[in-house]
Amino acid sequence: MKTFIIGKNEAEQRFDKFISKTVPSLPQSLMYKYLRTKRIKLNGKKAEISTRLKEGDKVEMYINDEFFVKEESVYDFMRASKNLDIIYEDENIILLNKKVGLLCHPDNREYVDTLIGRVKRYLYEKGEYNPDEESSFTPSLVNRIDRNTGGIVIAAKNAVSLRILNKKLKDREIEKYYLCVIHGFLNKKSDILKGYLIKNEDKNIVKIYNKKVDNSKEIRTQYRVLEEKNNLSLVEVHLLTGRTHQIRAHFAFIGHPLLGDGKYGTNEMNKKYGYKKQFLYSYKLKFNFTTDAGSLNYLNGKTFQVDDVWFKDEFRNGLF
């Protein structure tokens, strides 16, 4: 018999999901049988599979030891780089400055050395994360940034923080600000651009329209021009909606593509400046909670910023 006490990372999930993750080698048919016959009990009693677990609950499993045998663990994330640029960290979250060229999550070309892989290695080596002791939760990124864009990414250290921040991000209670360099000068030095966006999933490209069309989603992009030089503009952007490639596509749509953007801009425009990198950085994050954030209320009103954006000083010093 083995006993498990539900921690904060296991709380709020279904009873059957917890069992499946804790004893993955246990066949589903046996799991249902053991629940019926009370060989798996919750707080000393029979429980429905749909019961939501609470922190402090006790799960007892009277099942054969063979189902608990684990192979020696080998963690892929231990092959990830140790290199992390941490802006802020507490017991619940880490704010990371992701560099250009680094993937947030694995893809078909890079599986190991990603931002989330580095986070897991960092927390494992600190003793704050052990996959063998976590039946349900793994450290996770709340937001993501494209490989060719740098900036602030939030990592959640526990399930409660992840649930809260996912909701806050969805409800636009976490404000994201970007710096970018665009071609040309804008007539209005500050404005809110409006439009409608459709994403082509197969080609991973989006298209912008002035009017609503079938399957389109509304976008709003707020900006203010900070400086202008050499037919280029340094612009701060506040995303009022968060769609795929929104900033890049929206500025290209109004005739001012981002410097270095080969997908929505043109190589001819970029070539004269000699840069191939995309001039876009998620440099500032503000927690602006308008509803209760539970254990994360202490973050409300706080702003975090990356000061060493790689292209900001170059622009201001007239190096391109």
Side-chain angles (χ1 to χ4, degrees):
M1 188 269 282
K2 290 191 181 292
T3 300
F4 302 87
I5 304 299
I6 300 303
K8 62 181 180 181
N9 287 336
E10 290 85 27
E12 300 304 322
Q13 67 179 303
R14 283 169 54 115
F15 191 24
D16 57 342
K17 296 296 183 184
F18 172 79
I19 298 168
S20 295
K21 292 175 181 177
T22 305
V23 198
S25 62
L26 181 67
Q28 194 173 64
S29 58
L30 268 184
M31 178 182 71
Y32 292 139
K33 178 182 178 180
Y34 290 168
L35 284 166
R36 287 195 309 271
T37 57
K38 293 194 287 188
R39 289 182 66 176
I40 299 177
K41 297 189 288 187
L42 176 61
N43 297 322
K45 301 176 182 178
K46 181 180 177 180
E48 296 295 327
I49 60 172
S50 59
T51 302
R52 293 283 174 177
L53 299 177
K54 298 178 181 178
E55 189 173 354
D57 280 349
K58 181 169 73 171
V59 177
E60 296 169 295
M61 298 189 186
Y62 297 85
I63 62 180
N64 295 344
D65 289 340
E66 64 195 64
F67 292 115
F68 294 106
V69 174
K70 291 185 178 180
E71 296 180 0
E72 185 177 351
S73 300
V74 178
Y75 305 125
D76 286 336
F77 60 73
M78 290 303 292
R79 293 188 285 125
S81 168
K82 292 185 177 184
N83 187 20
L84 273 181
D85 187 350
I86 297 174
I87 300 167
Y88 170 83
E89 181 178 4
D90 61 31
E91 68 275 15
N92 295 311
I93 69 167
I94 313 176
L95 299 185
L96 303 144
N97 180 17
K98 186 194 85 70
K99 303 303 184 182
V100 174
L102 179 64
L103 280 170
C104 281
H105 295 103
D107 67 3
N108 55 7
R109 291 175 295 174
E110 176 57 63
Y111 178 74
V112 175
D113 192 22
T114 62
L115 185 62
I116 189 56
R118 295 183 184 188
V119 168
K120 289 178 181 178
R121 177 172 185 172
Y122 169 73
L123 292 176
Y124 180 78
E125 291 181 338
K126 279 185 72 181
E128 293 188 27
Y129 169 58
N130 187 341
D132 288 339
E133 297 174 0
E134 291 283 356
S135 59
S136 304
F137 178 76
T138 179
S140 302
L141 304 183
V142 177
N143 61 312
R144 62 177 294 276
I145 297 176
D146 291 342
R147 179 199 284 269
N148 296 324
T149 304
I152 302 175
V153 176
I154 311 169
K157 290 185 176 184
N158 53 65
V160 173
S161 298
L162 182 62
R163 283 195 294 270
I164 293 171
L165 291 173
N166 279 340
K167 182 71 163 58
K168 295 303 179 188
L169 194 69
K170 180 181 177 181
D171 293 343
R172 314 302 300 172
E173 294 181 35
I174 300 175
E175 298 179 1
K176 292 184 287 185
Y177 295 81
Y178 290 73
L179 286 180
C180 65
V181 176
I182 63 171
H183 288 280
F185 301 150
L186 294 159
N187 292 329
K188 293 183 178 180
K189 303 312 173 188
S190 63
D191 199 5
I192 297 178
L193 304 176
K194 298 178 182 178
Y196 294 88
L197 177 149
I198 290 181
K199 181 179 180 181
N200 184 320
E201 296 284 353
D202 294 333
K203 296 182 178 180
N204 191 32
I205 196 167
V206 303
K207 191 170 183 180
I208 309 294
Y209 298 85
N210 276 323
K211 296 181 180 180
K212 186 173 179 60
V213 297
D214 290 345
N215 301 316
S216 65
K217 295 180 179 179
E218 182 185 15
I219 57 172
R220 290 178 295 130
T221 309
Q222 186 176 39
Y223 74 85
R224 65 186 180 100
V225 176
L226 302 179
E227 293 186 39
E228 298 174 329
K229 286 181 181 177
N230 195 21
N231 200 35
L232 296 170
S233 300
L234 179 65
V235 180
E236 180 190 68
V237 179
H238 177 201
L239 278 182
L240 301 180
T241 56
R243 312 294 186 196
T244 301
H245 299 170
Q246 179 176 323
I247 295 173
R248 299 163 61 190
H250 216 167
F251 278 104
F253 178 70
I254 64 170
H256 297 277
L258 270 61
L259 178 61
D261 188 351
K263 179 172 281 191
Y264 296 100
T266 65
N267 290 329
E268 183 179 351
M269 294 178 72
N270 293 323
K271 193 180 295 184
K272 73 177 275 193
Y273 295 97
Y275 283 87
K276 293 182 180 179
K277 282 203 249 181
Q278 181 175 283
F279 282 62
L280 179 64
Y281 215 93
S282 179
Y283 88 111
K284 186 164 67 175
L285 197 71
K286 182 175 181 181
F287 295 97
N288 186 20
F289 302 151
T290 56
T291 56
D292 182 54
S295 59
L296 299 185
N297 272 324
Y298 65 90
L299 291 171
N300 195 23
K302 290 189 176 182
T303 299
F304 298 91
Q305 182 171 319
V306 175
D307 292 320
D308 60 339
V309 176
W310 65 274
F311 56 80
K312 184 174 67 174
D313 289 340
E314 291 189 21
F315 185 94
R316 287 178 168 165
N317 293 330
L319 298 182
F320 57 88

